Amino acid sequence: MNEGAKPAWADIPSVDRLLHEPALTALIATHGRTATVAALRQVLKDLRRGLAEASQAVPEALDETAIAARAAEALDRLFQPSLRPVLNLTGTVLHTNLGRAPLPDEAIAAIADVARGASNLEFDLDSGRRGDRDSHAEALICRLTGAEAATVVNNNAAAVLLVLNTLAQRRRVPVSRGELIEIGGAFRMPDIMARAGCTLVEVGTTNRTHLKDYAEAIDKRTGMVMKVHRSNFAIQGFTAEVEEAALAKLAHDRGIPFAVDLGSGTLVDLERFGLPHEPTPGETLAGGADLVTFSTDKLLGGPQGGVIAGRRDLIAQLKRNPLKRAMRCDKLTIAALEAVLRLYLDPDRLAERLPVLRHLARAEADIAAQAQRLCPQVAERLDGVATVEAVACHSQIGSGSMPVHSLPSAALSLRPAPTGRKVSDAALSRLAAALRRLPLPIVGRVADGAVLLDLRCMDDEVAFLDQVQALPMLLRR
Ligand SMILES: *Cc1c(COP(=O)(O)O)cnc(C)c1O
């Protein structure tokens, strides 16, 4: 600072003076006085600190309009929801990190109906007495799976934990070494067993497990037998596993229950929709399982949840476990699940009404035609910043469902301009990052020197093109 010059921060306008600026009056109208004043104070504090550190003359940043603009930016960030919609063009239909299954309109309407006010969540309208929150979905689950009874918890990990803790606490549970799975996000069967208070007894080998392996492992300390569906990996080659019916018979001969964790658990035969067969809870129960557990937001296509279905006496036991209270679903989940399950009563229209099945069942030709149609429109909007091509690609189901099965699909392949030259990794990351910074973020995948936007889950072309329009501005910044 020059000798005798007044300190730079003396020129910083006061909060009171700034509040009379028209730009700030507008911010107050939008965001309220408290948040606007707080944002303004923060901007001024940062300015003072900047000046103290740089000890330089008053920068243009001290201009009132500039201060108001900085406060507006801070307020925009504060009021933007952290959890918000994105366009899933990754090619992974059930993307756990992107919220898995999109809900059908029927489920969204059911959530809104119940969210707005009081409901009969645990109230029996016939008797006027206390009811059971499971009652809303239970009859539908039983009808769709053939189970005697069912209960719903917050996810399938909770369902497995509840089954183990209820039926086999302080007891042993034999599981095949080929089924000791880890699901993304730290769900590992051996850890869940330990937390449930069970002792895991590993039987068989990684690739082959026989009935006698189970038979030898069962003794009077055994609480139940469990089979886990290898949802997210496959074992190929010299393999053997025990049929569920045989395992059920063995468990029943020894007087213990047999449970199967299906993971995905679709309620229909997926072959109807041109997909590979996936065991259904109905088949598993018919095969002799006493209980079956499955997610409601994987192939079932509903909200996050986990179902346990099967023998009435065992379900009653699960419901008496205090852990069930800690794992119970909220009314919004129950409303959505009930609406989704009801769509299954009309399987012929399921592929139109249930978004997950619609996406999974889309024909390659349909997606390719969409790519051809969108390609020139996207190219026009990205003129000068990226080149666009319609290409063939493969989608996957995701969420650990059928890992070795991929679905032929089509994508828009975006390469940062200029053409001809080799695209650097940095330029690709910049393009992918700019797509994620859009108001409605677009999430694709980087592959073969391009950002691929797989169109399998593209429902809203208008919204997509609107976003693409804004991309060049973000890239130039
Ligand atoms: C996905 C899965 C789980 C966990 O289910 P969430 O609903 O994600 O908690 C458990 N077991 C298997 C076999 C799975 O595929």
Side-chain angles (χ1 to χ4, degrees), residues 453-473:
L453 305 180
D454 187 323
L455 299 180
R456 177 171 291 278
C457 301
M458 165 72 73
D459 285 330
D460 190 346
E461 294 183 8
V462 176
F464 170 68
L465 289 171
D466 272 358
Q467 296 305 308
V468 170
Q469 182 93 39
L471 191 66
M473 205 184 70

Side-chain angles (χ1 to χ4, degrees), residues 100 155-157 181 183 187 228-229 231 261 263 295 297-298:
R100 289 193 187 162
N155 47 51
N156 188 40
I181 55 164
I183 311 279
F187 177 91
V228 184
H229 186 53
S231 43
D261 175 25
S295 291
D297 54 344
K298 290 186 181 171

Side-chain angles (χ1 to χ4, degrees), residues 169-198:
Q169 194 183 18
R170 286 187 289 277
R171 311 201 60 180
R172 300 180 166 215
V173 182
V175 179
S176 162
R177 288 198 168 88
E179 298 171 2
L180 293 174
I181 55 164
E182 172 178 312
I183 311 279
F187 177 91
R188 295 177 131 193
M189 212 26 113
D191 300 341
I192 294 284
M193 288 260 179
R195 290 291 169 149
C198 309

Side-chain angles (χ1 to χ4, degrees), residues 53-372:
E53 278 163 13
S55 66
Q56 63 195 8
V58 178
E60 294 141 27
L62 286 189
D63 171 68
E64 271 133 39
T65 345
I67 291 173
R70 283 178 64 172
E73 260 173 47
L75 285 166
D76 279 346
R77 275 197 303 277
L78 182 66
F79 281 90
Q80 177 174 66
S82 167
L83 177 63
R84 59 208 161 98
V86 305
L87 287 178
N88 173 13
L89 305 185
T90 59
T92 300
V93 177
L94 286 165
H95 198 302
T96 298
N97 303 142
L98 300 182
R100 289 193 187 162
L103 292 179
D105 292 341
E106 289 83 351
I108 294 162
I111 290 175
D113 262 358
V114 159
R116 217 166 273 124
S119 60
N120 62 336
L121 179 64
E122 286 185 357
F123 184 73
D124 181 358
L125 290 170
D126 288 332
S127 67
R129 297 218 193 89
R130 187 200 165 108
D132 177 358
R133 69 176 63 210
D134 276 333
S135 67
H136 308 288
E138 184 171 10
L140 283 165
I141 296 170
C142 292
R143 194 188 166 104
L144 293 164
T145 63
E148 290 172 5
T151 183
V152 188
V153 289
N154 279 322
N155 47 51
N156 188 40
V160 173
L161 183 64
L162 184 62
V163 167
L164 288 167
N165 178 264
T166 309
L167 303 184
Q169 194 183 18
R170 286 187 289 277
R171 311 201 60 180
R172 300 180 166 215
V173 182
V175 179
S176 162
R177 288 198 168 88
E179 298 171 2
L180 293 174
I181 55 164
E182 172 178 312
I183 311 279
F187 177 91
R188 295 177 131 193
M189 212 26 113
D191 300 341
I192 294 284
M193 288 260 179
R195 290 291 169 149
C198 309
T199 305
L200 167 67
V201 179
E202 298 183 15
V203 302
T205 61
T206 306
N207 56 330
R208 292 173 72 83
T209 302
H210 307 282
L211 190 62
K212 71 173 187 338
D213 296 323
Y214 286 98
E216 284 164 12
I218 297 175
D219 60 22
K220 58 180 189 312
R221 296 164 297 179
T222 308
M224 63 184 281
V225 175
M226 181 149 195
K227 189 164 171 61
V228 184
H229 186 53
R230 275 193 292 267
S231 43
N232 59 1
F233 73 108
I235 294 186
Q236 284 170 334
F238 186 52
T239 65
E241 62 179 310
V242 183
E243 287 288 324
E244 276 161 19
L247 218 42
K249 181 167 184 311
L250 172 68
H252 297 156
D253 286 349
R254 305 289 186 94
I256 49 176
F258 171 51
V260 178
D261 175 25
L262 273 184
S264 270
T266 170
L267 295 177
V268 284
D269 183 357
L270 289 179
E271 285 176 62
R272 273 182 83 129
F273 307 101
L275 297 162
H277 185 78
E278 177 76 2
T280 65
E283 288 165 2
T284 306
L285 290 172
D290 298 294
L291 289 178
V292 58
T293 55
F294 53 96
S295 291
T296 58
D297 54 344
K298 290 186 181 171
L299 289 171
L300 194 145
Q304 184 189 300
V307 168
I308 308 156
R311 253 168 61 188
R312 191 185 315 283
D313 59 326
L314 297 179
I315 296 289
Q317 219 179 314
L318 296 176
K319 288 189 180 195
R320 286 194 301 270
N321 187 334
L323 274 182
K324 167 73 206 315
R325 171 65 178 76
M327 296 170 175
R328 73 181 186 192
C329 296
D330 82 317
K331 59 187 176 182
L332 306 184
T333 301
I334 293 170
L337 179 60
E338 189 188 344
V340 168
L341 291 172
R342 202 156 269 121
L343 295 184
Y344 279 87
L345 299 177
D346 181 4
D348 298 333
R349 283 197 292 161
L350 205 51
E352 296 152 44
R353 297 163 85 191
L354 197 63
V356 163
L357 272 185
R358 189 173 68 234
H359 292 155
L360 289 175
R362 268 189 85 185
E364 182 187 4
D366 174 41
I367 310 172
Q370 186 178 37
Q372 290 299 341

